[in-house]
Amino acid sequence: MANVLVIAELFEGKVRKGSLSAITFAQQAAPMVGGGYDILVAGTGAKAAAASMTGYGAESVLVADLPDYVAEVYAPVVAGAGKGYKIVCATATTFGKDLMPQVAEHLKAGMASDVVKVVQEGGPTYVRPMYAGNVLAHVKVKTPIQVVTVRQTEFEAAAPGGGASPVKDAPAAPATAAAARVKVAGFEKVVSARPELTDARVIVSGGRGLKSGENFKIIEALADLLHGAVGATRAAVDAGFAPNDLQVGQTGKIVAPQLYIAVGLSGALQHLAGMKGSKVIVAINKDPEAPIFSVADYGLVADLFQAVPALTEQIKKVL
Amino acid sequence: MKILVPLKRVADPDNANKVKISPDGKKVTSEGLEWKLNPFDEYAVEAALRITENKTNNARLGEVVVVCLGPADAKQQVTQALAMGADRGILIDAADETLDATVVVDTLEKVVAEEKPDLVLAGKQVVDGDSNQVAQMLAVRLGWPQATFAAHLSLPKELNKALVTREVDGGVAKLEVTFPAVISVDLRIVAPDAVKNGNTPDSEKYPEGPRYPSLRGIMQAKKKPLAAKKLADYGVTPAPRLEYLKFEPPPQRKAGAKVPDVETLVAKLKNEARVI
Ligand SMILES: Cc1cc2nc3c(=O)[nH]c(=O)nc-3n(C[C@H](O)[C@H](O)[C@H](O)COP(=O)(O)OP(=O)(O)OC[C@H]3O[C@@H](n4cnc5c(N)ncnc54)[C@H](O)[C@@H]3O)c2cc1C
Ligand SMILES: Nc1ncnc2c1ncn2[C@@H]1O[C@H](COP(=O)(O)O)[C@@H](O)[C@H]1O
């Protein structure tokens, strides 16, 4: 009997890789509430995308083919499908953050946001960061249905394990009346040849120290050499040096690559909140007192305009 | 046009690494830290003011009411919003620890029934709890459309709807919501040209960031209505859906070593860390 429902998110007709983290969470949480898990693929082109989810150990894959995303249409469907489960979960992408509190409210359920760990203590206890990651809270959800979003970087992407879950239609549910007062007015996709920040093995991030958007080329060259992604601080984004979807931090993307190279950024705690989980951190800053050095495995006190091009050249030699 | 801005006070977010956990792990304390208006709520106040003013002649086009659930000394943060230019404040007495999204939403639902705003303009998240739930839950409760994480707002002269630009994964999404609606704001809503209200010419630019209260604003704030209420006045008995068992510090990263030059750095990345 499946007691956990995973919401798989679609982007351009494909399940987002981030959703695989919610599956891993479900694999850990399902035994704590006695049972297995189902996956609900909800979105435009869900019927076609469902096949990609049948090899992940779910008891069933549910399908809800829906128009363009608005919470007022999706939340009733997800809540309707979620009724019989003990836990309804998704990854804390902007989709998950927008949708799941609505789902929780439809189900009169409590919700734990951005969970990083689940432990068995007479049912699941959720561990979640607060205060920009400076406190970890252990929280119980007291309602019969528990809604959870999980932090992608803390749950490894589930690997397909064979098997063939049967595909079924999710029950239909009417949109809320509010749907009549909301209209999708467009989507501007950010196109980049680089990997997504949340998937990248290497990230090179720049801050205000770069001084201009033009200068970001220095860190782009290093990122490209390492097949990595480019990140930025809020200050760099606000100054127009980098597009906003590159912001790393408490209110940007939470990342945890193998290697994070922080260039010309001070390491404000809101920035650290988004990258402290990286495996190896390198900091390049001309101020030896910059807080970024307190989390860096390797710190180089230097002028970035010399150090970064030199670093790129030196890496070319050893690659 | 009336806008309701819900706001919370939080321990100084720039010193969030200095919050302490009580020895029994049951409480987070912020002794020695200043209380601040939650930054996203300060941004929501700024956005509400930009929506309800004609910047060219300083005419007000609507009313901004701020509401806070918090202890009595959160009066300071409510007053700050009034000093920025909000018209009226409501402070509902509640202990910070007893608040989860449900309690806030239960209460805001009643405040909305009483105030009948055209728009609830909230922050996207409080930076102590980092939950990011209240706006979305409130929208369902009210049966109003929602637009979360607003980075840009464009309203017609009539101020009866908004074209909302939202920063989401993979791009920028645009939604048009017809009021009454719930909108939550993100960081970029305080950029110089982030709010267009159809009355101030589009070419007009604001200074970056939320406005500082002027001396005149501070004097006026003292005379503005600030209602002191209790949860019971709204018939709310706190019934949180979450129970916090304990708190602990996150694992600390140990600071590594400084390297003298680029060559040493690359050697270490290759041979010691093995990441290149
Ligand atoms: C509610 C809220 C949410 C926030 N969320 C985020 C978030 O998600 N992400 C985020 O990043 N920030 C966030 N911030 C902003 C954060 O507080 C900092 O303001 C921001 O991270 C600072 O960016 P920075 O390090 O690029 O700039 P600065 O702090 O100005 O640092 C620039 C650094 O560059 C160095 N430098 C300058 N020139 C050179 C050179 N030639 N060579 C080498 N080094 C040089 C300087 O020594 C300095 O350390 C948030 C703030 C608030 C209030
Ligand atoms: N105690 C509170 N009083 C008034 N408004 C609140 C309170 N808590 C949260 N809010 C509002 O809800 C938004 C989102 O908060 P949260 O969902 O708790 O992260 C905040 O930015 C505020 O606008």
Side-chain angles (χ1 to χ4, degrees):
Chain A
M1 160 79 192
N3 279 331
V4 179
L5 181 65
V6 181
I7 314 307
E9 173 185 355
L10 291 177
F11 186 64
E12 300 187 319
K14 290 206 176 69
V15 173
R16 260 193 205 276
K17 181 160 178 247
S19 296
L20 302 180
S21 295
I23 296 177
T24 301
F25 164 83
Q27 289 167 348
Q28 296 172 11
M32 300 180 190
V33 290
Y37 54 93
D38 288 346
I39 299 172
L40 168 64
V41 184
T44 312
K47 272 221 159 62
S52 72
M53 289 288 102
T54 53
Y56 284 92
E59 293 186 15
S60 318
V61 172
L62 306 178
V63 178
D65 226 313
L66 297 170
D68 281 346
Y69 175 75
V70 291
E72 291 74 11
V73 172
Y74 281 49
V77 173
V78 175
K83 253 180 212 138
Y85 297 85
K86 294 197 170 126
I87 299 175
V88 181
C89 65
T91 301
T93 56
T94 48
F95 165 89
K97 291 176 185 175
D98 187 73
L99 173 69
M100 296 308 274
Q102 287 228 334
V103 171
E105 184 54 32
H106 280 294
L107 293 169
K108 295 285 163 227
M111 170 169 166
S113 303
D114 215 11
V115 165
V116 297
K117 199 168 143 191
V118 56
V119 286
Q120 169 73 296
E121 282 177 347
T125 296
Y126 305 107
V127 182
R128 58 175 303 266
M130 295 171 68
Y131 294 90
N134 289 290
V135 171
L136 289 177
H138 290 236
V139 62
K140 285 267 184 207
V141 180
K142 298 193 292 183
T143 46
I145 303 177
Q146 312 182 2
V147 175
V148 174
T149 55
V150 305
R151 185 174 280 193
Q152 183 176 341
T153 53
E154 301 293 325
F155 293 90
E156 227 171 280
S165 319
V167 178
K168 303 178 191 160
D169 280 329
T176 62
R181 288 192 281 128
V182 51
K183 214 166 65 198
V184 175
F187 184 80
E188 287 157 32
K189 193 181 156 189
V190 180
V191 235
S192 166
R194 300 193 182 91
E196 276 197 43
L197 275 168
T198 41
D199 288 345
R201 215 188 63 84
V202 177
I203 295 173
V204 187
S205 274
R208 201 187 330 244
L210 266 295
K211 301 216 164 54
S212 75
E214 179 65 21
N215 291 338
F216 251 72
K217 292 215 172 90
I218 307 176
I219 62 168
E220 287 167 6
L222 177 56
D224 289 343
L225 179 65
L226 296 167
H227 307 291
V230 171
T233 63
R234 176 191 182 186
V237 171
D238 283 357
F241 303 172
N244 53 43
D245 67 311
L246 297 189
Q247 183 177 314
V248 171
Q250 183 185 20
T251 42
K253 301 252 167 34
I254 311 279
V255 301
Q258 293 292 306
L259 174 61
Y260 190 90
I261 305 180
V263 178
L265 62 85
S266 60
L269 66 88
Q270 294 94 345
H271 187 77
L272 300 185
M275 45 66 74
K276 264 196 311 201
S278 305
K279 185 153 172 283
V280 174
I281 298 174
V282 171
I284 300 175
N285 195 304
K286 67 178 180 190
D287 171 10
E289 303 300 323
I292 188 69
F293 287 121
S294 70
V295 299
D297 301 282
Y298 303 108
L300 180 62
V301 180
D303 186 305
L304 73 92
F305 295 104
Q306 265 116 50
V308 179
L311 178 60
T312 307
E313 286 314 308
Q314 184 66 19
I315 291 176
K316 273 185 196 156
K317 284 188 208 157
V318 303
L319 272 191
Chain B
M1 146 76 157
K2 191 200 266 192
I3 304 180
L4 184 71
V5 180
L7 42 91
K8 192 185 185 210
R9 65 159 206 186
V10 296
D12 179 7
D14 288 325
N15 284 298
N17 53 350
K18 300 201 180 80
V19 296
K20 294 198 178 63
I21 295 163
S22 65
D24 63 0
K26 296 282 185 209
K27 266 185 88 155
V28 179
T29 60
S30 53
E31 279 149 39
L33 297 190
E34 264 181 82
W35 293 105
K36 294 274 171 76
L37 191 49
N38 178 43
F40 291 105
D41 302 347
E42 192 180 357
Y43 301 167
V45 172
E46 172 65 31
L49 292 170
R50 290 186 190 180
I51 291 172
T52 53
E53 69 194 5
N54 183 334
K55 189 170 188 292
T56 40
N57 60 10
N58 290 325
R60 295 299 307 280
L61 312 167
E63 190 186 13
V64 176
V65 180
V66 297
V67 54
C68 172
L69 283 79
D73 48 351
K75 186 175 172 198
Q76 210 185 322
Q77 284 70 41
V78 177
T79 307
Q80 180 190 339
L82 298 178
M84 287 171 73
D87 300 283
R88 208 145 53 71
I90 305 169
L91 175 56
I92 305 167
D93 188 44
D96 285 330
E97 310 82 71
T98 60
L99 297 174
D100 74 350
T102 311
V103 183
V104 176
V105 171
D106 286 348
T107 312
L108 291 179
E109 183 188 11
K110 299 290 168 52
V111 176
V112 167
E114 202 172 276
E115 292 287 338
K116 302 185 172 52
D118 302 283
L119 173 64
V120 175
L121 196 60
K124 87 161 176 181
Q125 78 192 48
V126 292
V127 299
D128 50 4
D130 282 332
S131 341
N132 193 340
Q133 299 180 359
V134 166
Q136 298 89 319
M137 288 181 172
L138 183 65
V140 172
R141 193 68 74 80
L142 297 172
W144 292 4
Q146 81 172 15
T148 55
F149 324 146
H152 190 282
L153 290 170
S154 172
L155 289 82
K157 207 172 168 42
E158 300 73 29
L159 304 179
N160 59 346
K161 59 182 179 180
L163 181 64
V164 186
T165 302
R166 311 173 53 238
E167 292 180 6
V168 298
D169 295 329
V172 172
K174 287 190 179 159
L175 271 188
E176 189 185 88
V177 288
T178 302
F179 298 163
V182 179
I183 296 177
S184 78
V185 301
D186 213 328
L187 296 170
R188 244 73 69 185
I189 201 67
V190 292
D193 56 0
V195 178
K196 306 281 177 209
N197 69 10
N199 294 280
T200 300
D202 281 359
S203 56
E204 194 75 45
K205 284 203 191 327
Y206 277 88
E208 172 83 41
R211 64 195 67 185
Y212 291 109
S214 64
L215 205 53
R216 188 158 157 265
I218 294 168
M219 297 310 291
Q220 284 175 334
K222 294 184 179 142
K223 296 190 210 104
K224 287 179 177 173
L226 200 175
K229 298 279 194 178
K230 298 203 156 42
L231 288 173
D233 296 336
Y234 297 96
V236 173
T237 324
R241 293 176 188 163
L242 302 183
E243 182 184 356
Y244 282 89
L245 302 178
K246 65 167 181 177
F247 303 93
E248 63 185 16
Q252 292 300 314
R253 259 194 107 91
K254 57 168 183 45
K258 298 248 167 64
V259 291
D261 51 41
V262 165
E263 288 72 21
T264 316
L265 175 59
V266 172
K268 289 205 183 262
L269 289 177
K270 190 168 169 65
N271 305 322
E272 192 175 270
R274 297 173 189 278
V275 284
I276 56 170

